[in-house]
Amino acid sequence: MDRRMRRLIAFPCHDATLFGTLDEGTQPTGLLIVSGGNEPRMGAHRGQSIVAARIAARGYPVFRFDRRGVGDSEGVNGGWETSGPDIAAAAAAFAEHGGCSHMVGFGNCDAAAALALFGQEAGLARILLSNPWLADEPDPLPPAAAIRRHYARKLIDPREWLRLARGAVDMGKLRQGLTKIAAPPAPLDATAAPLLGAIAGWGADADIVVARGDATGVAFRAAARSQNFAIEALPTDSHSYADALDRLERAILARLAAPISDGASRDRDVARELKNSG
């Protein structure tokens, strides 16, 4: 595999200077990685940096960046909800320095939500969303779907029955969990419903990958059960795929190699031009 140059790129976003990392490649399709939470562009345990190097070694250019107020970038951190201009600025910098004609966006957790909402205006051709975040829980417990899966796994483990018999199980937590999963499903809140609609608006240009045992991924699959989304579940409990980077790499490569619709690209370009002209 050909290991190419990694470059640091500075680019403007409103009145701030942002910093991104370009792993060079020769393919016309590039990968734009958007970081979730307040993580810098290297990702959890350097996971995004590692994946970027592997993808670039396959010939696809990769661009990662710190949004305003995170990592090396200037400005005020307004959270993922205000990251639309950051994603658009990063995509423009990637187009200028990366030499790619199409971009696939990848983001984990709330970065997936940001891509679903803002990726079209940034001119992305398609998106791969990982463990998409929908909404905060109203209590400290995991989502009901994640609790249900957790207990279903314990019920088939003889060691858990032995722990229960010995009194080693926290009965308070058990009652709280059972109460939450017994409650009627809550309606989608003001954040979740628009996000599901935004994902649906991408049509075939949006793919979803989840960590099978991750609470956020489990909750998303439950909330999106009525949607016709393409969801690939990877066999790991790690939210950041710490033990499954090879599988994540293959999932990303499959999307990068898929044909890009000319119509989809034109629609993204029109959306970006309208936003810039407004």
Side-chain angles (χ1 to χ4, degrees):
M1 293 188 294
D2 181 14
R3 298 196 176 277
R4 294 184 171 270
M5 182 74 71
R6 173 171 284 182
R7 291 196 282 146
L8 182 66
I9 305 292
F11 59 97
C13 178
H14 292 333
D15 57 350
T17 298
L18 309 190
F19 288 88
T21 303
L22 172 65
D23 288 75
E24 295 181 333
T26 58
Q27 295 288 343
T29 299
L31 179 69
L32 177 68
I33 297 180
V34 177
S35 298
N38 293 315
E39 288 179 353
R41 60 187 182 275
M42 70 178 63
H45 314 292
R46 295 185 61 251
Q48 291 178 177
S49 177
I50 294 169
V51 168
R54 293 181 179 182
I55 298 298
R58 299 286 186 177
Y60 296 97
V62 183
F63 193 72
R64 300 171 284 120
F65 69 99
D66 294 334
R67 72 165 186 261
R68 284 169 291 175
V70 174
D72 296 322
S73 293
E74 299 175 347
V76 176
N77 181 3
W80 72 268
E81 297 96 331
T82 66
S83 64
D86 306 67
I87 296 172
F94 191 15
E96 178 183 354
H97 297 280
C100 54
S101 55
H102 303 295
M103 296 179 208
V104 175
F106 171 79
N108 189 43
C109 198
D110 59 28
L115 279 171
L117 289 172
F118 309 129
Q120 291 189 7
E121 291 183 350
L124 303 183
R126 66 191 309 156
I127 51 175
L128 175 58
L129 310 180
S130 167
N131 298 316
W133 179 90
L134 289 178
D136 285 326
E137 288 297 306
D139 52 52
L141 296 175
I147 296 174
R148 193 174 296 113
R149 185 179 189 275
H150 174 73
Y151 286 138
R153 295 171 71 180
K154 285 183 174 294
L155 285 173
I156 61 175
D157 186 347
R159 292 172 298 181
E160 294 299 326
W161 288 100
L162 185 60
R163 288 183 67 239
L164 181 63
R166 290 175 174 172
V169 174
D170 186 331
M171 298 305 294
K173 288 181 64 176
L174 177 61
R175 281 193 296 271
Q176 290 176 350
L178 293 176
T179 299
K180 184 164 185 176
I181 62 178
L188 294 177
D189 71 4
T191 303
L195 284 174
L196 289 175
I199 296 171
W202 284 83
D205 295 318
D207 293 295
I208 299 162
V209 61
V210 298
R212 187 174 294 161
D214 171 63
T216 304
V218 170
F220 177 83
R221 292 173 72 185
R225 192 169 289 126
S226 63
Q227 304 287 334
N228 189 28
F229 295 151
I231 302 177
E232 180 181 1
L234 303 185
T236 177
D237 293 346
S238 172
H239 183 68
S240 59
Y241 308 94
D243 58 352
L245 287 182
D246 288 345
R247 293 179 181 274
L248 179 62
E249 176 191 349
R250 289 196 291 271
I252 293 173
L253 285 170
R255 275 66 180 194
L256 287 169
I260 298 292
S261 164
D262 289 339
S265 296
R266 283 196 301 272
D267 291 344
R268 311 291 184 257
D269 291 341
V270 168
R272 181 168 52 183
E273 289 172 5
L274 288 174
K275 182 175 185 298
N276 292 338
S277 64

